[in-house]
């Protein structure tokens, strides 16, 4: 699904790369809201992600220096990483997820606040699919909006971190920032 301009043409998604304490993040937005956040946004990753976005959204992403959604997302991410933001309010474009994965991610976003965690099984129960703990893990891995939609807050029922698309060190850093894990001693 793509936005169209007043003249009927497709509106290009906008993108930027933002430096953060967990490394560079690629942020992309459409006219509806923030559509993706990608970790480890080096040049090769950016090229690959922009090509994938063009295919999925039907328009070539353009650098978005003055895009208001990207500016809001950047402000909120900066505040989050400083410890001053606990809930994101930037509008989200959910068009890169649907079905079960979309339900799980929306439930996660609405029900697992800053500074807390949830188990894969508990999240499966919350979406009405009690046998779907592994499928919840797949949904976390497909999250197009990590950090903003906090898949880092989903952990194993036995207390293990579980997996994370941004890497376990990034997951640890985010959970430490939120006070869930203690800061490393050295």
């Amino acid at each position: 699904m793509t936005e169209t301009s007043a003249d009927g043409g497709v509106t290009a998604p906008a993108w930027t790369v933002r430096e953060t304490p967990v490394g560079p993040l690629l942020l992309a937005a459409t006219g509806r809201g923030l559509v993706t956040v990608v970790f480890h946004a080096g040049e090769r990753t950016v090229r690959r992600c922009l090509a994938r976005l063009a295919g999925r959204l039907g328009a070539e992403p353009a650098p978005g220096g003055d895009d208001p959604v990207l500016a809001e997302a950047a402000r909120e991410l900066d505040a989050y990483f400083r410890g001053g933001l606990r809930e994101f309010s930037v509008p989200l474009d959910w068009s890169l997820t649907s079905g079960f994965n979309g339900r799980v991610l929306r439930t996660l976003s609405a029900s697992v606040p800053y500074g807390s965690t949830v188990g894969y099984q508990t999240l499966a129960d919350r979406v009405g699919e009690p046998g779907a703990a592994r499928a919840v893990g797949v949904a976390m891995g497909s999250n197009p909006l990590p950090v903003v939609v906090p898949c880092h807050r989903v952990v194993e029922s036995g207390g293990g971190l579980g997996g994370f698309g941004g890497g376990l060190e990034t997951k640890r850093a985010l959970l430490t920032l939120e006070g869930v894990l203690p800061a490393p001693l050295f």
Side-chain angles (χ1 to χ4, degrees), residues 23-28 36-41 45-46 49 52-53 144-146:
L25 298 178
L26 168 69
L27 309 175
T36 198
V37 175
V38 178
F39 289 109
H40 314 297
T45 298
V46 168
C49 291
R52 188 170 48 240
L53 269 178
L145 295 158

Side-chain angles (χ1 to χ4, degrees), residues 8-83:
V10 174
T11 303
W15 68 275
T16 190
V17 174
R18 189 81 177 169
E19 288 298 327
T20 74
V22 295
L25 298 178
L26 168 69
L27 309 175
T30 66
R32 285 188 216 100
L34 188 66
V35 71
T36 198
V37 175
V38 178
F39 289 109
H40 314 297
E43 185 178 326
R44 195 168 125 191
T45 298
V46 168
R47 277 196 318 269
R48 188 174 57 246
C49 291
L50 294 179
R52 188 170 48 240
L53 269 178
R56 297 276 311 270
L57 299 176
E60 197 69 36
D66 61 351
D67 183 87
V69 173
L70 290 178
E72 183 178 349
R75 278 191 303 276
E76 288 189 7
L77 283 164
D78 289 348
Y80 170 80
F81 284 113
R82 284 192 312 270

